[in-house]
Amino acid sequence: MNDWTIIPKEIITADKNRPVIKRGTVIVKNGKIEKIYSKEEWDESKAEGKVLNVPNLTLIPGFVHTHIHLCQTLFRGTADDMELLDWLQKRIFPLENAHTKESLRISAQLGLYELITSGATTIMDMGTIRHQEVIFEELINSGIRAFAGKCMADLNDLMPEFKESTKDALSSSYEFAKEFHNKGNGRIKYAFAPRFVLSCSEELLIETMNLTEEFQGSLFHTHSSENKNEIAAVKKLTGKENIEYFNSIGVLNEKTVLAHGIHVNDAEVQMLKEADTRIVHCPSSNLKLGSGIANVPKYLGNGINVSLGADGAPCNNNLNMFTEMRLASLIQKPLHSPTAMTAEEIFHLATIEGAKALHIDDVTGSIVENKSADLVLLNLENPTMNYFDGLNSTYSNIVYSANRDNVEYVFVEGKMLVNKGVYALHNAFELYSKAKEQLNILLKETDLK
Ligand code: GUN
Ligand code: FE
């Protein structure tokens, strides 16, 4: 059922050795990319499974979002035009705190709907404090590839009731990791998720990093250096800059994936480089919360891994890699030069660099034989794109002009999750009306209505 012969117009592989294959053929067998034929090598006798002959479509690796909050999708449009700490205190923490299993389930379904239909095949999610099992259930059910973990917090001056004891945060995370790490045919991996320095004691951060040792392939995912008021509070609490603090307590290493990394000094850049720590760039969120612009060219110049993430719906307000790619390129150009962050470079951040951030580049992130068939077919043949085969750059069309409407098919492990633009799992209108009902309940509950 998951075997395919895909014959697109061209394959944009995100693999440096063979970046573009014109009129090639990809054979998908048992969920893997079994073989890639050039036009010259191909003949019909080599076909396997169902044949998808799509000479108008462009095949790309699925997008990898390395920082997402599925639990927040339901809150889109309820927390606009605020700065980070206010936004957390007045809206996001109260709403997350009010989540029931039902509202959390709809929030995760909404987020997955939007992510998958816009071409995401892998995400890393930060989770929330309560009912985390619901997020795992929805991730498994959706068919997406994901790192996820229960959000951990044992301090919280912004909202004292939205936290747990250090012991409970650690023990419940450990139990979730035991239950869900490597679930869903190995597509689900555990990412321990201490939220940020202001909600985590030193003991929690250190013990969490120790827990990653017990789960091969798990990660340590947190927010860092996002906002000036946040880092001033971190300095007050710890006496150090955010990354300097992580380094001093031994939680900065190659398993550490830090969202944002905007306000970072030169010494900290060196620490990131030496520790092989990964940065997730979230351009929409960083602009909308007025947090600042991360110096991505500097990270890349230092050989630091940078990937992209949409963050949460209430600070973006989309969960769509096309938006992140376009902005990630455009915001650097006035600061550095129009030659900074080319479309090709950005396309790689959204795909193979995301897979590297999560240490799964042997599995996904590019179209290479033996990797998982995590694939997207885009229809770029459209008068708004000027995609004239060979006359202009496909990277330019994908990064600067395309949007979610161009996504026709999405596969994870060879399973078709989106078929001719239609998501197989949920009816969009049904989901929309359930979301309205659940948001209404949460807003009443929190007195935010
Ligand atoms: N820092 C701590 N929590 C959050 C969150 O939910 N979103 C963002 N953007 N930053 C955070
Ligand atoms: Fe975030």
Side-chain angles (χ1 to χ4, degrees), residues 72-335:
Q72 295 176 3
T73 323
L74 194 58
F75 317 151
R76 184 193 336 246
T78 68
D80 296 322
D81 314 320
M82 301 167 97
E83 72 98 39
L84 176 71
L85 298 181
D86 245 17
W87 178 83
L88 288 171
Q89 181 170 41
K90 298 197 173 118
R91 302 282 161 159
I92 301 306
F93 285 164
L95 285 164
E96 274 192 46
N97 190 46
H99 255 317
T100 63
K101 283 189 181 214
E102 197 61 53
S103 62
L104 183 58
R105 192 173 300 286
I106 296 299
S107 191
Q109 289 178 356
L110 281 176
L112 288 164
Y113 174 90
E114 188 177 358
L115 287 158
I116 293 170
T117 55
S118 57
T121 56
T122 301
I123 61 166
M124 179 151 74
D125 186 72
M126 203 359 74
T128 188
I129 295 185
R130 276 184 293 281
H131 317 304
Q132 177 63 31
E133 68 283 1
V134 171
I135 294 182
F136 280 112
E137 286 160 17
E138 291 304 320
L139 287 169
I140 293 169
N141 200 28
S142 73
I144 204 168
R145 187 179 301 289
F147 280 71
K150 174 192 150 118
C151 170
M152 305 164 87
D154 66 345
L155 309 173
N156 197 341
D157 283 350
L158 298 173
M159 186 179 181
E161 59 271 46
F162 192 53
K163 65 168 187 246
E164 310 176 280
S165 70
T166 312
K167 188 166 158 282
D168 287 350
L170 288 166
S171 64
S172 57
S173 294
Y174 179 76
E175 291 303 320
F176 277 125
K178 269 207 310 201
E179 186 170 354
F180 291 107
H181 188 55
N182 291 322
K183 270 282 157 65
N185 199 29
R187 287 191 313 275
I188 305 295
K189 304 265 184 243
Y190 205 81
F192 289 90
R195 192 157 188 146
F196 68 152
V197 170
L198 300 183
S199 67
C200 296
S201 67
E202 189 170 313
E203 181 191 354
L204 182 64
L205 292 168
I206 293 169
E207 288 303 319
T208 300
M209 183 54 88
N210 290 339
L211 281 182
T212 64
E213 299 292 320
E214 286 198 38
F215 300 93
Q216 179 65 30
S218 70
L219 295 173
F220 181 99
H221 175 210
T222 188
H223 294 94
S224 181
S225 321
E226 179 176 2
N227 167 291
K228 285 194 175 151
N229 292 326
E230 173 204 19
I231 55 167
V234 169
K235 192 140 201 191
K236 199 162 161 224
L237 189 72
T238 68
K240 296 191 166 65
E241 300 296 333
N242 204 146
I243 287 167
E244 184 193 9
Y245 171 63
F246 284 147
N247 194 45
S248 74
I249 63 170
V251 300
L252 207 63
N253 62 45
E254 75 291 348
K255 289 186 284 190
T256 312
V257 184
L258 301 178
H260 305 292
I262 300 170
H263 305 286
V264 176
N265 66 31
D266 286 350
E268 292 181 297
V269 171
Q270 286 312 306
M271 290 172 197
L272 292 171
K273 182 176 174 173
E274 273 160 36
D276 195 16
T277 291
R278 287 101 212 272
I279 293 287
V280 186
H281 182 39
C282 305
S284 297
S285 163
N286 296 348
L287 292 179
K288 184 158 179 283
L289 291 168
S291 302
I293 297 178
N295 195 338
V296 174
K298 188 172 189 174
Y299 288 135
L300 296 176
N302 276 283
I304 295 166
N305 170 276
V306 176
S307 53
L308 300 178
D311 206 349
C315 60
N316 188 308
N317 292 356
N318 297 300
L319 304 177
N320 177 347
M321 191 56 96
F322 294 100
T323 316
E324 300 316 305
M325 288 194 295
R326 181 178 151 84
L327 271 184
S329 177
L330 299 192
I331 61 175
Q332 302 298 341
K333 294 189 184 288
L335 298 175

Side-chain angles (χ1 to χ4, degrees), residues 300-437:
L300 296 176
N302 276 283
I304 295 166
N305 170 276
V306 176
S307 53
L308 300 178
D311 206 349
C315 60
N316 188 308
N317 292 356
N318 297 300
L319 304 177
N320 177 347
M321 191 56 96
F322 294 100
T323 316
E324 300 316 305
M325 288 194 295
R326 181 178 151 84
L327 271 184
S329 177
L330 299 192
I331 61 175
Q332 302 298 341
K333 294 189 184 288
L335 298 175
H336 297 276
S337 102
T339 60
M341 306 307 296
T342 66
E344 182 173 352
E345 205 172 1
I346 293 281
F347 179 73
H348 289 148
L349 300 195
T351 53
I352 187 63
E353 295 304 314
K356 285 184 194 165
L358 306 175
H359 301 254
I360 53 169
D361 49 309
D362 56 334
V363 175
T364 193
S366 60
I367 303 181
V368 171
E369 288 170 4
N370 290 319
K371 284 200 186 188
S372 177
D374 298 356
L375 302 169
V376 171
L377 280 159
L378 301 175
N379 186 349
L380 305 175
E381 289 198 352
N382 168 327
T384 65
M385 309 286 303
N386 290 5
Y387 176 53
F388 304 131
D389 200 10
L391 294 187
N392 56 21
S393 154
T394 309
Y395 296 111
S396 165
N397 276 289
I398 295 171
V399 170
Y400 297 134
S401 308
N403 61 51
R404 54 182 305 109
D405 296 340
N406 299 95
V407 174
E408 291 255 322
Y409 295 93
V410 178
F411 302 85
V412 177
E413 273 185 342
K415 184 172 176 197
M416 191 189 276
L417 304 185
V418 175
N419 182 353
K420 296 201 176 112
V422 178
Y423 185 43
L425 201 60
H426 294 293
N427 174 299
F429 288 104
E430 221 173 90
L431 198 53
Y432 181 77
S433 69
K434 281 193 203 159
K436 184 175 175 187
E437 188 181 300

